[in-house]
Amino acid sequence: MLDSITRIFSTLSTAAKTAKAIQKVISGVDGDERALLEEIKENAGLCWLATKREVDPKIIIQELQTSEYDRLIKTDFDINRLSRKKIKASERYKGTDLKYFIGKSTYELVISIYDRIKELKRIYRIDPNMQRIRWDVRINNLHKRILLLLEHLKS
C-alpha cells in the first residue's frame, strides 16, 4: 500500500516530506483555515503511522480528529477558501480511486475526507472486530485523499 502512495505522490512520499509540505501551506494562512489544516496535518501523521505498518490501523481510527471540521461546518465557513481552484487532472490519478476528484472543488474533497473519517469511527465504535472491513485499506484510501488535498493546496 505504501507503494501506491509513493507512486502517486512522489513529492509527498514520506511522513517528513508531508509534514514539511503541509507546514508550508499552514504558514500562509491563519484563523479557521489554519485550525482546519492543523487538524488535517494531525490526521495525515496518523495515517502515515498505519500506512508504514508501524501502528495497527484500529488504533489510528480512535485517534483521528474531526473537532475543528465539526466546529467549522456549523458556521458559515467556506471550505473553498483553502483553494478556489478545481483539482487538476494528472496522469498519476488514472486507474486510481482519486480520478473521481479531478475537476472537483476543494470543498468536495474535504467533505469526502471527513465523511470517511466519520464512517471509520462509526464502524469501529459499533463493531471493532468486524471481519469484512479491511481497516488498512480504508486508512490507505483516506491517506491518499489527504495527500491529494495537500498536493492540491500546494499548487
Side-chain angles (χ1 to χ4, degrees):
M1 279 188 231
L2 187 57
D3 288 345
S4 69
I5 287 176
T6 55
R7 187 174 60 252
I8 298 170
F9 300 103
S10 59
T11 61
L12 303 172
S13 61
T14 66
K17 288 180 181 179
T18 302
K20 185 176 179 181
I22 202 164
Q23 195 56 48
K24 188 174 180 180
V25 172
I26 289 171
S27 69
V29 298
D30 57 5
D32 289 337
E33 291 170 73
R34 177 181 286 266
L36 181 60
L37 289 171
E38 287 287 352
E39 183 171 85
I40 290 169
K41 176 180 153 185
E42 173 67 16
N43 289 336
L46 292 167
C47 287
W48 270 114
L49 289 174
T51 304
K52 289 173 41 181
R53 304 228 188 277
E54 293 175 4
V55 178
D56 183 343
K58 290 182 182 179
I59 294 171
I60 298 302
I61 291 165
Q62 297 175 66
E63 298 299 320
L64 291 168
Q65 299 177 14
T66 65
S67 59
E68 284 302 319
Y69 170 81
D70 292 339
R71 178 182 69 79
L72 292 173
I73 212 71
K74 292 177 185 174
T75 69
D76 62 349
F77 180 75
D78 179 11
I79 292 173
N80 282 326
R81 282 180 27 198
L82 297 173
S83 176
R84 299 256 178 234
K85 297 182 245 169
K86 300 289 184 185
I87 297 168
K88 293 180 185 174
S90 172
E91 285 293 316
R92 295 175 292 161
Y93 306 148
K94 282 189 174 179
T96 73
D97 56 328
L98 299 176
K99 70 181 177 210
Y100 168 81
F101 294 102
I102 294 171
K104 302 285 185 187
S105 68
T106 304
Y107 170 84
E108 290 169 287
L109 180 55
V110 170
I111 293 295
S112 173
I113 289 167
Y114 279 96
D115 282 351
R116 282 190 175 259
I117 291 172
K118 288 174 180 266
E119 179 185 23
L120 280 168
K121 292 173 97 51
R122 183 174 36 256
I123 294 168
Y124 185 84
R125 187 176 60 245
I126 300 303
D127 186 359
N129 297 314
M130 189 178 290
Q131 295 298 317
R132 62 185 184 90
I133 299 294
R134 296 181 303 166
W135 301 105
D136 55 338
V137 171
R138 290 189 178 231
I139 291 290
N140 189 56
N141 289 337
L142 170 64
H143 194 186
K144 288 189 294 186
R145 281 165 176 72
I146 291 172
L147 293 177
L148 176 61
L149 175 64
L150 179 54
E151 191 169 87
H152 171 64
L153 295 177
K154 282 181 18 179
S155 63

